[in-house]
Amino acid sequence: MRVIAGTARRLLLKTPDGLDTRPTADRIKETLFNMLMPYLPDAVFIDLFSGSGGIGIEALSRGARKAYFIENNPKAIACITDNLEHTHLTDKSVVLRQDVFAALRGGIKDTADIIFLDPPYGQEQVYQNVLGLLRDAPYVNEDTMIIIEALIMEPFEYAENFGFAVEKEKKYKTNKHVFLRKSI
């Protein structure tokens, strides 16, 4: 896995051993960040279930002002820390070694521009629990873009029950990115 573009372009990133994390493939990551480019300059980016930190690091490399990395797996935290040092992006980062739900309740101090959510597959209830917390979070407003990476067959009709509207879905072979914003 590598950083695709920006200040850390072409630098290789470590990934945790085992099957607990599954890094987003370079082609999918490149497609995602091509769509996000207009929103990244000076953005606050939150990477939930960060794994190796590759998504948040890509955001920083491409111009985000600050990134929060939220992860509770010790091996993944070590990977994120090493990757931030290797890419020289530590000074723009906040690494929260916490459960995502605890971090969403009090670890984030900046208004979020983009929130990326990629929990382990097969844990559909996680999406709803996170959206329930984000609905009332002081750092989320109608301009905050929430992006969920999910299996292609995962439905998101329930998002409006939490006060979010699906703006678009980008489908790939087996998964998709769902873009949400708070309903006005």
Side-chain angles (χ1 to χ4, degrees):
M1 187 172 71
R2 64 186 171 92
V3 180
I4 296 169
T7 60
R9 183 181 55 159
R10 295 191 187 125
L11 291 178
L12 296 178
L13 301 176
K14 294 180 180 179
T15 58
D17 291 333
L19 301 174
D20 292 338
T21 62
R22 33 165 229 318
T24 301
D26 282 353
R27 290 181 72 184
I28 292 173
K29 185 167 60 170
E30 185 170 13
T31 300
L32 171 65
F33 278 94
N34 285 342
M35 290 187 283
L36 291 180
M37 276 311 295
Y39 309 101
L40 284 173
D42 206 34
V44 173
F45 192 96
I46 300 173
D47 187 356
L48 303 176
F49 303 96
S50 297
S52 66
I55 295 292
I57 288 170
E58 189 74 36
L60 289 171
S61 181
R62 292 180 183 233
R65 172 173 44 95
K66 184 177 194 177
Y68 284 84
F69 296 86
I70 302 171
E71 178 61 63
N72 65 358
N73 179 316
K75 289 180 185 175
I77 290 288
C79 236
I80 293 166
T81 303
D82 288 348
N83 287 334
L84 287 169
E85 288 173 7
H86 178 63
T87 57
H88 307 288
L89 295 169
T90 304
D91 61 327
K92 296 180 176 186
S93 305
V94 176
V95 179
L96 299 176
R97 183 179 179 176
Q98 287 183 292
D99 173 77
V100 163
F101 304 108
L104 292 176
R105 286 187 189 98
I108 298 164
K109 307 300 180 201
D110 300 279
T111 300
D113 296 299
I114 302 169
I115 300 173
F116 182 80
L117 167 64
D118 183 13
Y121 289 151
Q123 297 187 20
E124 292 76 21
Q125 190 61 38
V126 169
Y127 302 121
Q128 295 182 42
N129 293 341
V130 168
L131 290 177
L133 289 170
L134 292 177
R135 171 184 47 213
D136 301 319
Y139 49 85
V140 176
N141 60 38
E142 59 277 349
D143 294 324
T144 303
M145 182 184 306
I146 299 166
I147 305 159
I148 300 174
E149 187 166 321
L151 290 173
I152 199 161
M153 69 277 216
E154 181 69 31
F156 283 92
E157 292 82 22
Y158 59 78
E160 56 190 53
N161 297 338
F162 293 97
F164 295 96
V166 175
E167 285 194 341
K168 71 176 161 181
E169 288 187 1
K170 174 63 177 163
K171 295 181 180 181
Y172 308 98
K173 191 174 186 177
T174 60
N175 61 344
K176 64 183 174 180
H177 286 124
V178 181
F179 296 76
L180 305 169
R181 286 197 201 262
K182 265 190 173 181
S183 300
I184 298 174

